[in-house]
Amino acid sequence: MTYASAHPDTDVGPRWWRLAAYGLLGLPLAMAALPVYVHVAAYYSALHGVALAQLGWVLFGARLLDTLQDPLQGHVIDRLRGGVARWMMAGGAILALAFAGIWQPPASGTVAAIWLGVMLVLAYCAHSMLNIAYLTWGAGLTGSGAQRSKDRLSAAAWREGAGLAGLVVASVIPATVMAGEPARIPASMALYSVAFAVLLMVALALLLKLAPAWPRPNPQADDWRCALRRMASNRGFVRLLLPYLLNACSVSLPATLALFFIRDQLQAAELAGAFLGCYFIAAACGLPLWTALARRIGVLACWRIGMALAIASFAGASLLGAGDVLPYFAICIGAGAALGADLAMPPVLLAELLGAGEAAGAYYGVFTLLGKLALALSGLALPVLAALGYRPGIAGSTALVLVYAAVPCLLKLLAMASLRAPSPAPLPIARYRSSP
């Protein structure tokens, strides 16, 4: 299979269907990511007898190892010439197999924990192979300055819109499966894994054949030390790292604990799929609005507004108790709408901070490293909660409420306070026609 290299760009940018072909891969990537980050802990705790503290350390270790590879992968991707198709297809095959393996451990207890650690490392590695190349592809769209900015924002809208559709699927189906008869869960997750693998290969084929051309290799990417020096000297990028990490922690922490909160604090385990689906549907509906707003006021200002909305929406979660279903649905809608800004704005903001000739893959490798570091740190919430006396299945835990609801709001406030990078120029006002 050859990569997309014969699609000429016009003066008005790539046609919408080429951007749609680019964005579709976001759907299967999200279908795999959400169950791994949200459902794995509850799955191995309830069905395979892995202790909560042991499970937390496995998640932390696997995610921490995963963070170390991302800058290296970004550097390798910057040097890819004709090998992007082989790189991405190999990543897709490994991800499909590892994702299926996660849900089929050969035993319970410690053996299951070890199996989970190995499968997670493989899945994370493969997901990085795809995701960093995918983000680099979108950042490399060509054209004039103003048109390039609009194309990047439109490509991000397609990518994150497809990703949100994948998150809706991944929130409803696995949650429904997990709420069913325990004996049938592994077989049902095997079917889900097959469907994911098929969608992944179809999306990869469309990306490689129909999307705008893969960016030309960057000659400056041949020396990784040069790339590090350029990143360190990019003040806007350096200033963006701390708020990005804090914001990622504010999102990953409640994602890790959501099912425990829904089951034990709200005592509404049967509605877990509905809650998650509502959250991601709200994000999908809000994404075109955030994109249009970013065209008018700038990407950075738009992201700040999204953060403020997330805090205002999620602050009330710490006050909820058993049976507070409707208020939690309202929180899911508000926080989900804010998620669209968290997903779409940072990659576009980073692309706007890159100068001509920059090695984009290395930059996005650092971005994904920070995102995975946030996920690794969120895994430590499980042993912390265990040390504070929380036990899965026991209602009324103050520690669970504070860690799930209050701490993320504090982290989001710190992210807003540290977001001081210069705002890029507002994008030209244009009718938004390329969102899904």
Side-chain angles (χ1 to χ4, degrees), residues 130-152:
L130 293 172
N131 195 46
I132 298 174
Y134 190 38
L135 293 172
T136 302
W137 197 314
L141 292 176
T142 59
S144 62
Q147 184 61 47
R148 182 171 62 247
S149 296
K150 290 193 292 183
D151 291 343
R152 285 171 174 170

Side-chain angles (χ1 to χ4, degrees), residues 186-214:
S188 298
M189 288 307 298
L191 291 175
Y192 181 85
S193 300
V194 171
F196 156 71
V198 172
L199 286 173
L200 177 62
M201 293 306 162
V202 170
L204 280 172
L206 292 175
L207 172 74
L208 296 170
K209 289 292 187 182
L210 300 179
W214 169 255

Side-chain angles (χ1 to χ4, degrees), residues 34 39 167-177 273-274 276-278 281:
L34 184 71
H39 296 287
L167 289 173
V168 172
V169 173
S171 60
V172 174
I173 296 179
T176 302
V177 169
L276 294 174
C278 179
I281 289 172

Side-chain angles (χ1 to χ4, degrees), residues 1-9 14 18-19 22 25 73-89 128-142 159 204 206-219 221 358-362 364:
M1 181 177 292
T2 59
Y3 65 93
S5 60
H7 308 316
D9 294 328
R18 295 205 187 281
L19 296 175
Y22 164 78
L25 182 59
Q73 284 205 25
H75 178 65
V76 172
I77 288 168
D78 279 326
R79 302 179 65 181
L80 288 177
R81 287 164 172 81
V84 64
R86 292 189 296 272
W87 175 270
M88 298 191 79
M89 293 303 292
S128 292
M129 292 175 67
L130 293 172
N131 195 46
I132 298 174
Y134 190 38
L135 293 172
T136 302
W137 197 314
L141 292 176
T142 59
R159 180 182 65 230
L204 280 172
L206 292 175
L207 172 74
L208 296 170
K209 289 292 187 182
L210 300 179
W214 169 255
R216 293 179 179 178
N218 192 325
E358 293 278 12
Y364 283 108

Side-chain angles (χ1 to χ4, degrees), residues 250-278:
S250 74
V251 175
S252 62
L253 185 58
T256 299
L257 301 177
L259 294 186
F260 296 100
F261 183 85
I262 292 170
R263 182 184 63 191
D264 296 340
Q265 184 65 20
L266 299 181
Q267 297 183 22
E270 69 281 0
L271 294 176
F275 288 136
L276 294 174
C278 179

Side-chain angles (χ1 to χ4, degrees), residues 21-234:
Y22 164 78
L24 184 60
L25 182 59
L27 191 153
L29 289 181
M31 283 182 64
L34 184 71
V36 171
Y37 295 137
V38 175
H39 296 287
V40 157
Y43 179 77
Y44 274 79
S45 172
L47 270 70
H48 296 285
V50 181
L52 194 64
Q54 185 182 43
L55 184 60
W57 285 112
V58 169
L59 294 176
F60 174 73
R63 292 170 179 175
L64 189 60
L65 285 174
D66 184 38
T67 65
L68 302 177
Q69 66 178 327
D70 284 0
L72 177 61
Q73 284 205 25
H75 178 65
V76 172
I77 288 168
D78 279 326
R79 302 179 65 181
L80 288 177
R81 287 164 172 81
V84 64
R86 292 189 296 272
W87 175 270
M88 298 191 79
M89 293 303 292
I94 296 171
L95 178 58
L97 293 173
F99 181 77
I102 287 173
W103 310 105
Q104 310 299 326
S108 297
T110 301
V111 174
I114 295 173
W115 173 271
L116 174 62
V118 173
M119 291 297 106
L120 284 178
V121 169
L122 290 174
Y124 289 155
C125 177
H127 199 278
S128 292
M129 292 175 67
L130 293 172
N131 195 46
I132 298 174
Y134 190 38
L135 293 172
T136 302
W137 197 314
L141 292 176
T142 59
S144 62
Q147 184 61 47
R148 182 171 62 247
S149 296
K150 290 193 292 183
D151 291 343
R152 285 171 174 170
L153 194 55
S154 295
W158 279 104
R159 180 182 65 230
E160 303 305 336
L164 289 170
L167 289 173
V168 172
V169 173
S171 60
V172 174
I173 296 179
T176 302
V177 169
M178 297 297 174
E181 185 177 342
R184 296 183 178 180
I185 291 178
S188 298
M189 288 307 298
L191 291 175
Y192 181 85
S193 300
V194 171
F196 156 71
V198 172
L199 286 173
L200 177 62
M201 293 306 162
V202 170
L204 280 172
L206 292 175
L207 172 74
L208 296 170
K209 289 292 187 182
L210 300 179
W214 169 255
R216 293 179 179 178
N218 192 325
Q220 298 185 27
D222 290 342
D223 185 354
W224 63 270
R225 290 166 294 189
C226 177
L228 287 178
R229 286 194 297 268
R230 290 176 68 88
M231 283 191 289
S233 64
N234 188 330

Side-chain angles (χ1 to χ4, degrees), residues 211-403:
W214 169 255
R216 293 179 179 178
N218 192 325
Q220 298 185 27
D222 290 342
D223 185 354
W224 63 270
R225 290 166 294 189
C226 177
L228 287 178
R229 286 194 297 268
R230 290 176 68 88
M231 283 191 289
S233 64
N234 188 330
R235 296 183 62 186
F237 171 70
V238 173
R239 290 177 180 176
L240 186 60
L241 296 181
L242 178 60
Y244 182 80
L245 175 61
L246 291 171
N247 187 71
C249 288
S250 74
V251 175
S252 62
L253 185 58
T256 299
L257 301 177
L259 294 186
F260 296 100
F261 183 85
I262 292 170
R263 182 184 63 191
D264 296 340
Q265 184 65 20
L266 299 181
Q267 297 183 22
E270 69 281 0
L271 294 176
F275 288 136
L276 294 174
C278 179
Y279 177 73
F280 292 116
I281 289 172
C285 292
L287 183 60
L289 302 178
W290 291 117
T291 306
L293 182 62
R295 292 181 183 275
R296 295 179 177 271
I297 67 173
V299 177
L300 191 64
C302 184
W303 191 19
R304 285 198 180 103
I305 294 174
M307 288 184 182
L309 177 60
I311 295 169
S313 301
F314 204 64
S318 60
L319 304 177
L320 301 184
D324 289 333
V325 171
L326 292 180
Y328 192 67
F329 269 118
I331 288 172
C332 289
I333 293 172
L339 180 65
D342 277 337
L343 292 175
M345 297 304 117
V348 177
L349 180 58
L350 175 55
E352 295 298 320
L353 293 173
L354 300 183
E358 293 278 12
Y363 281 87
Y364 283 108
V366 173
F367 246 37
T368 57
L369 181 153
L370 293 178
K372 291 175 180 179
L373 178 59
L375 288 167
L377 294 173
S378 70
L380 291 178
L382 297 177
V384 168
L385 286 174
L388 293 175
Y390 168 68
R391 297 293 181 270
I394 299 177
S397 171
T398 302
L400 175 62
V401 172
L402 290 176
V403 176

